[in-house]
Amino acid sequence: MSGTTAAAFGALAVLLAGPVPALLSRAKWPLRAPRAALVLWQAIALAAVLSAFSSGLAIASMLLVPGPDGRPTTSPTDEIAALGLPLWVLSVSVFAITVLIGARLMYSTARVAIRTRRRRSHHRMLVDLLDQRDPRLAEYSTADLRVLQHDEPMAYCLPGLRQRVVVSAGTLDQLAPAELSAILAHERAHLRARHDLVLEAFTAVHEAFPRFVRSKSALGSVRLLIELLADDAALRSTGPRPLAQALVTCAASKTPEGAMAAGGPSTLVRIRRLADGTYDARVSAAAYTTAILILVGPTIAVAVPWLVELSRLFGFTHR
């Protein structure tokens, strides 16, 4: 692998971590194809990580310059003699940044997972203790449903192995039966699709890249798409009007960190989307195609050269 390859992968990683998410977060078409847009977001995040690692691996192959016997050597003096001091310093610096990103990715993945599950476990214990059975829920499946004595309408879910859907007494007071069905369908769609795992993965990738590289709006866009997917699931059960009215009622509700709420700052955008009722199959197909190209390109570019490099190294070993 050459310095050009390392530079190309590095530039691609920076683009996919910052400018590309910034542009995508301002686009309006994801509202017409949220599932395809979420797949595209996932492809961009994974390709950014692959490109960053590929840049580091390409630099590592440059530093392993052949010694007098033709075998790769890790002697800094030989590397400096072959590359020149400025290029060697630059290569080592970029390689160190790549290693740091990899370490931060592993650390942030573990930290986000442990922190989120600890908070959910504590809150799950509280809602189980504070649950107030309500006869108005007799016609619903209540195995995972908990009711809190709170006047303000709110509805949220706690994902995990022991899933919970939490509503307040105010929610039951202010929502009609069809609206309550819509809000429960919305929350259970989150649990069924494990949208929490998608958010955790994006949060880990977001925290792994340096602040001057990553996009600030990526997480917000992914959260909105996940809410749109849950809205679509509820829409198929109850129709747009009950869901829209339920979202308006629960728009100002506050929820604990780690939970996934029906309301929130994106409520107005979601209600407008329900009124429009637009879905564009052509936009969806284009997004899926773009996601495949973005993901497959870096993967092939990584796999093929490194299979050649490994073959060459094993060839030296067996001589």
Side-chain angles (χ1 to χ4, degrees):
M1 289 189 180
S2 65
T4 303
T5 303
F9 276 127
L12 182 60
V14 171
L15 285 173
L16 293 176
V20 171
L23 288 173
L24 183 57
S25 65
R26 293 195 290 268
K28 299 299 182 184
W29 66 262
L31 298 177
R32 305 198 302 273
R35 190 176 302 279
L38 185 60
V39 170
L40 180 58
W41 272 109
Q42 291 173 312
I44 289 172
L46 185 54
V49 173
L50 283 174
S51 298
F53 289 162
S54 301
S55 179
L57 292 173
I59 291 172
S61 71
M62 290 172 53
L63 296 177
L64 295 175
V65 297
D69 58 355
R71 295 174 180 271
T73 176
T74 56
S75 171
T77 55
D78 292 339
E79 295 165 2
I80 293 172
L83 301 175
L85 182 59
L87 181 56
W88 181 83
V89 171
L90 178 62
S91 300
V92 170
S93 300
V94 175
F95 181 70
I97 292 174
T98 304
V99 173
L100 178 62
I101 290 175
R104 284 169 60 96
L105 180 60
M106 291 186 289
Y107 171 75
S108 61
T109 299
R111 187 171 72 92
V112 169
I114 293 172
R115 180 185 61 194
T116 303
R117 280 156 181 77
R118 184 177 298 162
R119 286 173 175 166
R120 286 176 185 160
S121 177
H122 178 70
H123 194 76
R124 187 183 298 112
M125 179 185 66
L126 290 178
V127 297
D128 286 347
L129 289 173
L130 298 174
D131 177 39
Q132 299 290 325
R133 298 292 177 180
D134 195 294
R136 288 171 290 184
L137 297 175
E139 61 183 275
Y140 300 96
S141 174
T142 58
D144 62 345
L145 192 56
R146 301 292 182 268
V147 180
L148 301 181
Q149 288 300 320
H150 188 63
D151 293 335
E152 292 185 8
M154 65 178 182
Y156 59 90
C157 64
L158 295 170
L161 296 178
R162 294 184 298 150
Q163 302 172 343
R164 297 289 184 271
V165 175
V166 183
V167 297
S168 65
T171 303
L172 302 181
D173 293 337
Q174 298 188 35
L175 294 186
E179 297 166 4
L180 180 60
S181 297
I183 215 72
L184 294 179
H186 174 98
E187 296 304 330
R188 284 173 172 154
H190 281 316
L191 298 177
R192 187 169 54 252
R194 292 310 307 265
H195 289 155
D196 58 303
L197 297 180
V198 177
L199 278 178
E200 284 184 23
F202 271 95
T203 302
V205 173
H206 178 77
E207 294 183 359
F209 281 87
R211 291 186 179 181
F212 66 88
V213 172
R214 67 193 183 200
S215 172
K216 297 180 181 179
S217 53
L219 276 178
S221 298
V222 172
R223 288 191 181 100
L224 173 59
L225 291 174
I226 285 174
E227 293 302 326
L228 296 182
L229 291 176
D231 287 345
D232 289 344
L235 191 64
R236 290 190 289 270
S237 301
T238 62
R241 183 178 292 275
L243 177 58
Q245 292 172 337
L247 292 178
V248 170
T249 302
C250 298
S253 63
K254 297 180 180 180
T255 55
E257 190 172 353
M260 305 184 73
S266 64
T267 302
L268 182 58
V269 175
R270 292 157 56 196
I271 291 174
R272 287 175 177 172
R273 177 176 175 268
L274 290 174
D276 294 339
T278 56
Y279 172 78
D280 196 324
R282 292 175 298 178
V283 169
S284 180
Y288 282 126
T289 303
T290 304
I292 292 172
L293 293 176
I294 287 175
L295 189 57
V296 171
T299 303
I300 293 177
V302 172
V304 173
W306 278 99
L307 287 175
V308 174
E309 292 288 335
L310 289 174
S311 176
R312 184 176 64 85
L313 290 175
F314 280 117
F316 278 124
T317 302
H318 292 294
R319 285 182 185 177

